[in-house]
PDB file of all heavy atoms in Angstrom:
ATOM      1  N   THR F 971    -120.418 -16.296  47.008  1.00  0.00           N
ATOM      2  CA  THR F 971    -119.537 -17.438  46.808  1.00  0.00           C
ATOM      3  C   THR F 971    -118.080 -17.015  47.007  1.00  0.00           C
ATOM      4  O   THR F 971    -117.648 -15.998  46.486  1.00  0.00           O
ATOM      5  CB  THR F 971    -119.726 -18.032  45.411  1.00  0.00           C
ATOM      6  OG1 THR F 971    -121.068 -18.501  45.279  1.00  0.00           O
ATOM      7  CG2 THR F 971    -118.763 -19.172  45.158  1.00  0.00           C
ATOM      8  N   GLY F 972    -117.348 -17.796  47.793  1.00  0.00           N
ATOM      9  CA  GLY F 972    -115.963 -17.481  48.099  1.00  0.00           C
ATOM     10  C   GLY F 972    -115.768 -16.667  49.354  1.00  0.00           C
ATOM     11  O   GLY F 972    -114.631 -16.489  49.798  1.00  0.00           O
ATOM     12  N   GLY F 973    -116.850 -16.189  49.941  1.00  0.00           N
ATOM     13  CA  GLY F 973    -116.772 -15.386  51.140  1.00  0.00           C
ATOM     14  C   GLY F 973    -116.611 -16.214  52.399  1.00  0.00           C
ATOM     15  O   GLY F 973    -116.512 -17.443  52.358  1.00  0.00           O
ATOM     16  N   SER F 974    -116.617 -15.522  53.548  1.00  0.00           N
ATOM     17  CA  SER F 974    -116.394 -16.162  54.840  1.00  0.00           C
ATOM     18  C   SER F 974    -117.422 -15.717  55.862  1.00  0.00           C
ATOM     19  O   SER F 974    -117.952 -14.608  55.793  1.00  0.00           O
ATOM     20  CB  SER F 974    -115.000 -15.824  55.379  1.00  0.00           C
ATOM     21  OG  SER F 974    -113.980 -16.318  54.536  1.00  0.00           O
ATOM     22  N   LEU F 975    -117.696 -16.595  56.818  1.00  0.00           N
ATOM     23  CA  LEU F 975    -118.523 -16.295  57.969  1.00  0.00           C
ATOM     24  C   LEU F 975    -117.941 -17.004  59.178  1.00  0.00           C
ATOM     25  O   LEU F 975    -117.318 -18.064  59.038  1.00  0.00           O
ATOM     26  CB  LEU F 975    -119.967 -16.754  57.781  1.00  0.00           C
ATOM     27  CG  LEU F 975    -120.906 -15.918  56.921  1.00  0.00           C
ATOM     28  CD1 LEU F 975    -122.230 -16.658  56.751  1.00  0.00           C
ATOM     29  CD2 LEU F 975    -121.134 -14.550  57.542  1.00  0.00           C
ATOM     30  N   ARG F 976    -118.170 -16.430  60.351  1.00  0.00           N
ATOM     31  CA  ARG F 976    -117.768 -17.052  61.604  1.00  0.00           C
ATOM     32  C   ARG F 976    -118.997 -17.202  62.488  1.00  0.00           C
ATOM     33  O   ARG F 976    -119.585 -16.205  62.913  1.00  0.00           O
ATOM     34  CB  ARG F 976    -116.707 -16.219  62.323  1.00  0.00           C
ATOM     35  CG  ARG F 976    -116.159 -16.859  63.598  1.00  0.00           C
ATOM     36  CD  ARG F 976    -115.004 -16.034  64.156  1.00  0.00           C
ATOM     37  NE  ARG F 976    -114.476 -16.543  65.418  1.00  0.00           N
ATOM     38  CZ  ARG F 976    -113.568 -17.502  65.526  1.00  0.00           C
ATOM     39  NH1 ARG F 976    -113.077 -18.087  64.437  1.00  0.00           N
ATOM     40  NH2 ARG F 976    -113.142 -17.892  66.722  1.00  0.00           N
ATOM     41  N   LEU F 977    -119.392 -18.436  62.747  1.00  0.00           N
ATOM     42  CA  LEU F 977    -120.532 -18.730  63.590  1.00  0.00           C
ATOM     43  C   LEU F 977    -120.079 -18.920  65.030  1.00  0.00           C
ATOM     44  O   LEU F 977    -119.013 -19.474  65.286  1.00  0.00           O
ATOM     45  CB  LEU F 977    -121.251 -19.989  63.121  1.00  0.00           C
ATOM     46  CG  LEU F 977    -121.683 -20.038  61.658  1.00  0.00           C
ATOM     47  CD1 LEU F 977    -122.459 -21.323  61.390  1.00  0.00           C
ATOM     48  CD2 LEU F 977    -122.509 -18.811  61.292  1.00  0.00           C
ATOM     49  N   SER F 978    -120.912 -18.469  65.965  1.00  0.00           N
ATOM     50  CA  SER F 978    -120.628 -18.610  67.382  1.00  0.00           C
ATOM     51  C   SER F 978    -121.711 -19.437  68.053  1.00  0.00           C
ATOM     52  O   SER F 978    -122.872 -19.408  67.646  1.00  0.00           O
ATOM     53  CB  SER F 978    -120.549 -17.243  68.066  1.00  0.00           C
ATOM     54  OG  SER F 978    -119.513 -16.458  67.524  1.00  0.00           O
ATOM     55  N   CYS F 979    -121.329 -20.162  69.083  1.00  0.00           N
ATOM     56  CA  CYS F 979    -122.259 -20.944  69.889  1.00  0.00           C
ATOM     57  C   CYS F 979    -121.937 -20.697  71.347  1.00  0.00           C
ATOM     58  O   CYS F 979    -120.839 -21.048  71.808  1.00  0.00           O
ATOM     59  CB  CYS F 979    -122.135 -22.432  69.550  1.00  0.00           C
ATOM     60  SG  CYS F 979    -123.205 -23.522  70.514  1.00  0.00           S
ATOM     61  N   ALA F 980    -122.866 -20.079  72.062  1.00  0.00           N
ATOM     62  CA  ALA F 980    -122.678 -19.759  73.471  1.00  0.00           C
ATOM     63  C   ALA F 980    -123.465 -20.734  74.331  1.00  0.00           C
ATOM     64  O   ALA F 980    -124.653 -20.957  74.096  1.00  0.00           O
ATOM     65  CB  ALA F 980    -123.129 -18.326  73.747  1.00  0.00           C
ATOM     66  N   ALA F 981    -122.819 -21.295  75.329  1.00  0.00           N
ATOM     67  CA  ALA F 981    -123.452 -22.230  76.248  1.00  0.00           C
ATOM     68  C   ALA F 981    -123.842 -21.528  77.536  1.00  0.00           C
ATOM     69  O   ALA F 981    -123.146 -20.623  77.998  1.00  0.00           O
ATOM     70  CB  ALA F 981    -122.517 -23.395  76.555  1.00  0.00           C
ATOM     71  N   SER F 982    -124.951 -21.964  78.121  1.00  0.00           N
ATOM     72  CA  SER F 982    -125.458 -21.339  79.335  1.00  0.00           C
ATOM     73  C   SER F 982    -124.670 -21.718  80.575  1.00  0.00           C
ATOM     74  O   SER F 982    -124.709 -21.006  81.574  1.00  0.00           O
ATOM     75  CB  SER F 982    -126.930 -21.710  79.535  1.00  0.00           C
ATOM     76  OG  SER F 982    -127.076 -23.104  79.707  1.00  0.00           O
ATOM     77  N   GLY F 983    -123.979 -22.845  80.518  1.00  0.00           N
ATOM     78  CA  GLY F 983    -123.214 -23.323  81.650  1.00  0.00           C
ATOM     79  C   GLY F 983    -121.871 -23.870  81.223  1.00  0.00           C
ATOM     80  O   GLY F 983    -121.480 -23.773  80.060  1.00  0.00           O
ATOM     81  N   SER F 984    -121.181 -24.472  82.157  1.00  0.00           N
ATOM     82  CA  SER F 984    -119.842 -24.992  81.905  1.00  0.00           C
ATOM     83  C   SER F 984    -119.846 -26.088  80.847  1.00  0.00           C
ATOM     84  O   SER F 984    -120.724 -26.949  80.825  1.00  0.00           O
ATOM     85  CB  SER F 984    -119.252 -25.541  83.204  1.00  0.00           C
ATOM     86  OG  SER F 984    -117.993 -26.147  82.972  1.00  0.00           O
ATOM     87  N   ILE F 985    -118.839 -26.048  79.967  1.00  0.00           N
ATOM     88  CA  ILE F 985    -118.678 -27.088  78.962  1.00  0.00           C
ATOM     89  C   ILE F 985    -117.414 -27.907  79.199  1.00  0.00           C
ATOM     90  O   ILE F 985    -117.046 -28.736  78.363  1.00  0.00           O
ATOM     91  CB  ILE F 985    -118.665 -26.516  77.529  1.00  0.00           C
ATOM     92  CG1 ILE F 985    -117.493 -25.549  77.335  1.00  0.00           C
ATOM     93  CG2 ILE F 985    -119.992 -25.832  77.221  1.00  0.00           C
ATOM     94  CD1 ILE F 985    -117.311 -25.113  75.887  1.00  0.00           C
ATOM     95  N   PHE F 986    -116.764 -27.696  80.335  1.00  0.00           N
ATOM     96  CA  PHE F 986    -115.541 -28.443  80.635  1.00  0.00           C
ATOM     97  C   PHE F 986    -115.754 -29.948  80.563  1.00  0.00           C
ATOM     98  O   PHE F 986    -114.888 -30.687  80.086  1.00  0.00           O
ATOM     99  CB  PHE F 986    -115.017 -28.072  82.023  1.00  0.00           C
ATOM    100  CG  PHE F 986    -114.218 -26.810  82.071  1.00  0.00           C
ATOM    101  CD1 PHE F 986    -114.730 -25.688  82.692  1.00  0.00           C
ATOM    102  CD2 PHE F 986    -112.960 -26.736  81.503  1.00  0.00           C
ATOM    103  CE1 PHE F 986    -114.000 -24.512  82.751  1.00  0.00           C
ATOM    104  CE2 PHE F 986    -112.225 -25.564  81.551  1.00  0.00           C
ATOM    105  CZ  PHE F 986    -112.748 -24.450  82.178  1.00  0.00           C
ATOM    106  N   SER F 987    -116.892 -30.409  81.061  1.00  0.00           N
ATOM    107  CA  SER F 987    -117.155 -31.839  81.150  1.00  0.00           C
ATOM    108  C   SER F 987    -117.810 -32.417  79.899  1.00  0.00           C
ATOM    109  O   SER F 987    -118.043 -33.623  79.832  1.00  0.00           O
ATOM    110  CB  SER F 987    -118.033 -32.134  82.365  1.00  0.00           C
ATOM    111  OG  SER F 987    -119.298 -31.523  82.236  1.00  0.00           O
ATOM    112  N   ILE F 988    -118.111 -31.570  78.918  1.00  0.00           N
ATOM    113  CA  ILE F 988    -118.745 -32.035  77.686  1.00  0.00           C
ATOM    114  C   ILE F 988    -117.665 -32.412  76.686  1.00  0.00           C
ATOM    115  O   ILE F 988    -116.960 -31.548  76.160  1.00  0.00           O
ATOM    116  CB  ILE F 988    -119.677 -30.965  77.099  1.00  0.00           C
ATOM    117  CG1 ILE F 988    -120.761 -30.597  78.109  1.00  0.00           C
ATOM    118  CG2 ILE F 988    -120.289 -31.466  75.796  1.00  0.00           C
ATOM    119  CD1 ILE F 988    -121.672 -29.481  77.659  1.00  0.00           C
ATOM    120  N   ASN F 989    -117.545 -33.708  76.418  1.00  0.00           N
ATOM    121  CA  ASN F 989    -116.474 -34.174  75.555  1.00  0.00           C
ATOM    122  C   ASN F 989    -116.660 -33.723  74.106  1.00  0.00           C
ATOM    123  O   ASN F 989    -115.782 -33.079  73.531  1.00  0.00           O
ATOM    124  CB  ASN F 989    -116.352 -35.693  75.614  1.00  0.00           C
ATOM    125  CG  ASN F 989    -115.085 -36.183  74.947  1.00  0.00           C
ATOM    126  OD1 ASN F 989    -114.123 -35.435  74.779  1.00  0.00           O
ATOM    127  ND2 ASN F 989    -115.067 -37.452  74.567  1.00  0.00           N
ATOM    128  N   TYR F 990    -117.812 -34.036  73.511  1.00  0.00           N
ATOM    129  CA  TYR F 990    -118.052 -33.725  72.108  1.00  0.00           C
ATOM    130  C   TYR F 990    -118.966 -32.524  71.958  1.00  0.00           C
ATOM    131  O   TYR F 990    -120.043 -32.468  72.544  1.00  0.00           O
ATOM    132  CB  TYR F 990    -118.662 -34.915  71.375  1.00  0.00           C
ATOM    133  CG  TYR F 990    -117.689 -36.032  71.113  1.00  0.00           C
ATOM    134  CD1 TYR F 990    -117.570 -37.103  71.986  1.00  0.00           C
ATOM    135  CD2 TYR F 990    -116.881 -36.004  69.979  1.00  0.00           C
ATOM    136  CE1 TYR F 990    -116.668 -38.121  71.740  1.00  0.00           C
ATOM    137  CE2 TYR F 990    -115.982 -37.022  69.727  1.00  0.00           C
ATOM    138  CZ  TYR F 990    -115.876 -38.077  70.603  1.00  0.00           C
ATOM    139  OH  TYR F 990    -114.986 -39.092  70.358  1.00  0.00           O
ATOM    140  N   MET F 991    -118.534 -31.584  71.148  1.00  0.00           N
ATOM    141  CA  MET F 991    -119.357 -30.484  70.696  1.00  0.00           C
ATOM    142  C   MET F 991    -119.142 -30.326  69.200  1.00  0.00           C
ATOM    143  O   MET F 991    -118.145 -30.812  68.655  1.00  0.00           O
ATOM    144  CB  MET F 991    -119.019 -29.181  71.420  1.00  0.00           C
ATOM    145  CG  MET F 991    -119.265 -29.222  72.917  1.00  0.00           C
ATOM    146  SD  MET F 991    -119.040 -27.613  73.718  1.00  0.00           S
ATOM    147  CE  MET F 991    -120.468 -26.715  73.089  1.00  0.00           C
ATOM    148  N   GLY F 992    -120.078 -29.664  68.542  1.00  0.00           N
ATOM    149  CA  GLY F 992    -119.891 -29.484  67.120  1.00  0.00           C
ATOM    150  C   GLY F 992    -121.068 -28.833  66.434  1.00  0.00           C
ATOM    151  O   GLY F 992    -121.869 -28.140  67.071  1.00  0.00           O
ATOM    152  N   TRP F 993    -121.143 -29.066  65.121  1.00  0.00           N
ATOM    153  CA  TRP F 993    -122.126 -28.409  64.263  1.00  0.00           C
ATOM    154  C   TRP F 993    -122.727 -29.389  63.276  1.00  0.00           C
ATOM    155  O   TRP F 993    -122.025 -30.244  62.715  1.00  0.00           O
ATOM    156  CB  TRP F 993    -121.476 -27.266  63.474  1.00  0.00           C
ATOM    157  CG  TRP F 993    -120.912 -26.173  64.325  1.00  0.00           C
ATOM    158  CD1 TRP F 993    -119.699 -26.147  64.927  1.00  0.00           C
ATOM    159  CD2 TRP F 993    -121.559 -24.942  64.669  1.00  0.00           C
ATOM    160  NE1 TRP F 993    -119.537 -24.981  65.630  1.00  0.00           N
ATOM    161  CE2 TRP F 993    -120.669 -24.222  65.481  1.00  0.00           C
ATOM    162  CE3 TRP F 993    -122.802 -24.387  64.354  1.00  0.00           C
ATOM    163  CZ2 TRP F 993    -120.979 -22.964  65.993  1.00  0.00           C
ATOM    164  CZ3 TRP F 993    -123.113 -23.139  64.866  1.00  0.00           C
ATOM    165  CH2 TRP F 993    -122.208 -22.438  65.671  1.00  0.00           C
ATOM    166  N   PHE F 994    -124.028 -29.266  63.076  1.00  0.00           N
ATOM    167  CA  PHE F 994    -124.753 -29.880  61.981  1.00  0.00           C
ATOM    168  C   PHE F 994    -125.391 -28.769  61.168  1.00  0.00           C
ATOM    169  O   PHE F 994    -125.537 -27.638  61.652  1.00  0.00           O
ATOM    170  CB  PHE F 994    -125.844 -30.826  62.481  1.00  0.00           C
ATOM    171  CG  PHE F 994    -125.373 -32.197  62.864  1.00  0.00           C
ATOM    172  CD1 PHE F 994    -124.663 -32.403  64.036  1.00  0.00           C
ATOM    173  CD2 PHE F 994    -125.656 -33.287  62.063  1.00  0.00           C
ATOM    174  CE1 PHE F 994    -124.240 -33.671  64.399  1.00  0.00           C
ATOM    175  CE2 PHE F 994    -125.245 -34.559  62.419  1.00  0.00           C
ATOM    176  CZ  PHE F 994    -124.531 -34.751  63.583  1.00  0.00           C
ATOM    177  N   ARG F 995    -125.784 -29.095  59.946  1.00  0.00           N
ATOM    178  CA  ARG F 995    -126.529 -28.144  59.129  1.00  0.00           C
ATOM    179  C   ARG F 995    -127.674 -28.860  58.437  1.00  0.00           C
ATOM    180  O   ARG F 995    -127.631 -30.069  58.222  1.00  0.00           O
ATOM    181  CB  ARG F 995    -125.630 -27.458  58.099  1.00  0.00           C
ATOM    182  CG  ARG F 995    -125.069 -28.380  57.030  1.00  0.00           C
ATOM    183  CD  ARG F 995    -124.039 -27.642  56.186  1.00  0.00           C
ATOM    184  NE  ARG F 995    -123.503 -28.478  55.120  1.00  0.00           N
ATOM    185  CZ  ARG F 995    -122.497 -28.135  54.333  1.00  0.00           C
ATOM    186  NH1 ARG F 995    -121.909 -26.946  54.473  1.00  0.00           N
ATOM    187  NH2 ARG F 995    -122.068 -28.966  53.381  1.00  0.00           N
ATOM    188  N   GLN F 996    -128.696 -28.092  58.087  1.00  0.00           N
ATOM    189  CA  GLN F 996    -129.853 -28.651  57.414  1.00  0.00           C
ATOM    190  C   GLN F 996    -130.314 -27.693  56.324  1.00  0.00           C
ATOM    191  O   GLN F 996    -130.764 -26.579  56.617  1.00  0.00           O
ATOM    192  CB  GLN F 996    -130.991 -28.921  58.392  1.00  0.00           C
ATOM    193  CG  GLN F 996    -132.160 -29.668  57.780  1.00  0.00           C
ATOM    194  CD  GLN F 996    -133.123 -30.195  58.831  1.00  0.00           C
ATOM    195  OE1 GLN F 996    -133.230 -29.643  59.922  1.00  0.00           O
ATOM    196  NE2 GLN F 996    -133.813 -31.272  58.500  1.00  0.00           N
ATOM    197  N   ALA F 997    -130.180 -28.136  55.080  1.00  0.00           N
ATOM    198  CA  ALA F 997    -130.671 -27.374  53.936  1.00  0.00           C
ATOM    199  C   ALA F 997    -132.148 -27.671  53.723  1.00  0.00           C
ATOM    200  O   ALA F 997    -132.652 -28.713  54.147  1.00  0.00           O
ATOM    201  CB  ALA F 997    -129.872 -27.722  52.689  1.00  0.00           C
ATOM    202  N   LEU F 998    -132.833 -26.757  53.046  1.00  0.00           N
ATOM    203  CA  LEU F 998    -134.256 -26.943  52.771  1.00  0.00           C
ATOM    204  C   LEU F 998    -134.492 -28.249  52.035  1.00  0.00           C
ATOM    205  O   LEU F 998    -133.846 -28.535  51.028  1.00  0.00           O
ATOM    206  CB  LEU F 998    -134.796 -25.778  51.950  1.00  0.00           C
ATOM    207  CG  LEU F 998    -135.147 -24.502  52.708  1.00  0.00           C
ATOM    208  CD1 LEU F 998    -135.555 -23.415  51.728  1.00  0.00           C
ATOM    209  CD2 LEU F 998    -136.255 -24.751  53.716  1.00  0.00           C
ATOM    210  N   GLY F 999    -135.426 -29.034  52.529  1.00  0.00           N
ATOM    211  CA  GLY F 999    -135.783 -30.282  51.888  1.00  0.00           C
ATOM    212  C   GLY F 999    -134.813 -31.420  52.101  1.00  0.00           C
ATOM    213  O   GLY F 999    -134.981 -32.484  51.505  1.00  0.00           O
ATOM    214  N   LYS F1000    -133.802 -31.223  52.943  1.00  0.00           N
ATOM    215  CA  LYS F1000    -132.799 -32.251  53.180  1.00  0.00           C
ATOM    216  C   LYS F1000    -132.688 -32.578  54.665  1.00  0.00           C
ATOM    217  O   LYS F1000    -133.131 -31.817  55.521  1.00  0.00           O
ATOM    218  CB  LYS F1000    -131.436 -31.821  52.642  1.00  0.00           C
ATOM    219  CG  LYS F1000    -131.394 -31.639  51.142  1.00  0.00           C
ATOM    220  CD  LYS F1000    -129.979 -31.423  50.649  1.00  0.00           C
ATOM    221  CE  LYS F1000    -129.933 -31.344  49.138  1.00  0.00           C
ATOM    222  NZ  LYS F1000    -128.540 -31.179  48.632  1.00  0.00           N
ATOM    223  N   GLN F1001    -132.082 -33.715  54.948  1.00  0.00           N
ATOM    224  CA  GLN F1001    -131.855 -34.129  56.325  1.00  0.00           C
ATOM    225  C   GLN F1001    -130.652 -33.398  56.915  1.00  0.00           C
ATOM    226  O   GLN F1001    -129.824 -32.843  56.193  1.00  0.00           O
ATOM    227  CB  GLN F1001    -131.639 -35.642  56.399  1.00  0.00           C
ATOM    228  CG  GLN F1001    -132.880 -36.458  56.098  1.00  0.00           C
ATOM    229  CD  GLN F1001    -132.652 -37.931  56.324  1.00  0.00           C
ATOM    230  OE1 GLN F1001    -131.742 -38.517  55.744  1.00  0.00           O
ATOM    231  NE2 GLN F1001    -133.480 -38.530  57.170  1.00  0.00           N
ATOM    232  N   ARG F1002    -130.577 -33.421  58.225  1.00  0.00           N
ATOM    233  CA  ARG F1002    -129.477 -32.788  58.920  1.00  0.00           C
ATOM    234  C   ARG F1002    -128.157 -33.488  58.579  1.00  0.00           C
ATOM    235  O   ARG F1002    -128.084 -34.721  58.549  1.00  0.00           O
ATOM    236  CB  ARG F1002    -129.739 -32.816  60.422  1.00  0.00           C
ATOM    237  CG  ARG F1002    -128.834 -31.910  61.233  1.00  0.00           C
ATOM    238  CD  ARG F1002    -129.361 -31.741  62.654  1.00  0.00           C
ATOM    239  NE  ARG F1002    -130.599 -30.972  62.686  1.00  0.00           N
ATOM    240  CZ  ARG F1002    -131.182 -30.548  63.797  1.00  0.00           C
ATOM    241  NH1 ARG F1002    -130.635 -30.820  64.976  1.00  0.00           N
ATOM    242  NH2 ARG F1002    -132.313 -29.865  63.739  1.00  0.00           N
ATOM    243  N   GLU F1003    -127.115 -32.689  58.330  1.00  0.00           N
ATOM    244  CA  GLU F1003    -125.819 -33.176  57.882  1.00  0.00           C
ATOM    245  C   GLU F1003    -124.728 -32.773  58.867  1.00  0.00           C
ATOM    246  O   GLU F1003    -124.645 -31.616  59.285  1.00  0.00           O
ATOM    247  CB  GLU F1003    -125.506 -32.603  56.491  1.00  0.00           C
ATOM    248  CG  GLU F1003    -124.127 -32.943  55.947  1.00  0.00           C
ATOM    249  CD  GLU F1003    -123.782 -32.153  54.703  1.00  0.00           C
ATOM    250  OE1 GLU F1003    -124.428 -31.107  54.453  1.00  0.00           O
ATOM    251  OE2 GLU F1003    -122.875 -32.578  53.967  1.00  0.00           O
ATOM    252  N   PHE F1004    -123.873 -33.714  59.210  1.00  0.00           N
ATOM    253  CA  PHE F1004    -122.739 -33.441  60.090  1.00  0.00           C
ATOM    254  C   PHE F1004    -121.753 -32.494  59.421  1.00  0.00           C
ATOM    255  O   PHE F1004    -121.416 -32.660  58.245  1.00  0.00           O
ATOM    256  CB  PHE F1004    -122.044 -34.751  60.461  1.00  0.00           C
ATOM    257  CG  PHE F1004    -120.753 -34.564  61.194  1.00  0.00           C
ATOM    258  CD1 PHE F1004    -120.736 -34.167  62.523  1.00  0.00           C
ATOM    259  CD2 PHE F1004    -119.541 -34.791  60.556  1.00  0.00           C
ATOM    260  CE1 PHE F1004    -119.548 -33.993  63.202  1.00  0.00           C
ATOM    261  CE2 PHE F1004    -118.348 -34.629  61.229  1.00  0.00           C
ATOM    262  CZ  PHE F1004    -118.351 -34.227  62.549  1.00  0.00           C
ATOM    263  N   VAL F1005    -121.261 -31.512  60.169  1.00  0.00           N
ATOM    264  CA  VAL F1005    -120.347 -30.500  59.647  1.00  0.00           C
ATOM    265  C   VAL F1005    -118.990 -30.555  60.324  1.00  0.00           C
ATOM    266  O   VAL F1005    -117.951 -30.467  59.665  1.00  0.00           O
ATOM    267  CB  VAL F1005    -120.948 -29.091  59.789  1.00  0.00           C
ATOM    268  CG1 VAL F1005    -119.937 -28.027  59.358  1.00  0.00           C
ATOM    269  CG2 VAL F1005    -122.223 -28.969  58.961  1.00  0.00           C
ATOM    270  N   ALA F1006    -118.972 -30.647  61.653  1.00  0.00           N
ATOM    271  CA  ALA F1006    -117.708 -30.623  62.377  1.00  0.00           C
ATOM    272  C   ALA F1006    -117.929 -31.033  63.819  1.00  0.00           C
ATOM    273  O   ALA F1006    -119.019 -30.854  64.367  1.00  0.00           O
ATOM    274  CB  ALA F1006    -117.079 -29.230  62.337  1.00  0.00           C
ATOM    275  N   SER F1007    -116.900 -31.586  64.443  1.00  0.00           N
ATOM    276  CA  SER F1007    -116.937 -31.884  65.865  1.00  0.00           C
ATOM    277  C   SER F1007    -115.588 -31.569  66.487  1.00  0.00           C
ATOM    278  O   SER F1007    -114.561 -31.528  65.793  1.00  0.00           O
ATOM    279  CB  SER F1007    -117.313 -33.345  66.130  1.00  0.00           C
ATOM    280  OG  SER F1007    -116.294 -34.220  65.697  1.00  0.00           O
ATOM    281  N   ILE F1008    -115.606 -31.360  67.798  1.00  0.00           N
ATOM    282  CA  ILE F1008    -114.386 -31.090  68.546  1.00  0.00           C
ATOM    283  C   ILE F1008    -114.539 -31.652  69.946  1.00  0.00           C
ATOM    284  O   ILE F1008    -115.582 -31.496  70.586  1.00  0.00           O
ATOM    285  CB  ILE F1008    -114.061 -29.577  68.566  1.00  0.00           C
ATOM    286  CG1 ILE F1008    -112.718 -29.319  69.252  1.00  0.00           C
ATOM    287  CG2 ILE F1008    -115.189 -28.783  69.212  1.00  0.00           C
ATOM    288  CD1 ILE F1008    -112.202 -27.904  69.029  1.00  0.00           C
ATOM    289  N   THR F1009    -113.514 -32.328  70.432  1.00  0.00           N
ATOM    290  CA  THR F1009    -113.532 -32.866  71.786  1.00  0.00           C
ATOM    291  C   THR F1009    -113.073 -31.814  72.775  1.00  0.00           C
ATOM    292  O   THR F1009    -112.550 -30.759  72.399  1.00  0.00           O
ATOM    293  CB  THR F1009    -112.628 -34.101  71.910  1.00  0.00           C
ATOM    294  OG1 THR F1009    -111.260 -33.695  71.765  1.00  0.00           O
ATOM    295  CG2 THR F1009    -112.968 -35.145  70.858  1.00  0.00           C
ATOM    296  N   SER F1010    -113.254 -32.110  74.049  1.00  0.00           N
ATOM    297  CA  SER F1010    -112.806 -31.186  75.084  1.00  0.00           C
ATOM    298  C   SER F1010    -111.303 -30.952  75.022  1.00  0.00           C
ATOM    299  O   SER F1010    -110.823 -29.896  75.439  1.00  0.00           O
ATOM    300  CB  SER F1010    -113.200 -31.708  76.467  1.00  0.00           C
ATOM    301  OG  SER F1010    -112.630 -32.980  76.718  1.00  0.00           O
TER     302      SER F1010
END
């Protein structure tokens, strides 16, 4: 608790044309939850 992590996401091809990218998370027994988004 109180610590930090840096997650990475590598794409196989160009992301220039992809407007929205981001992150969801899913805890055990729960539905997927929106975490963050970023536009191009």
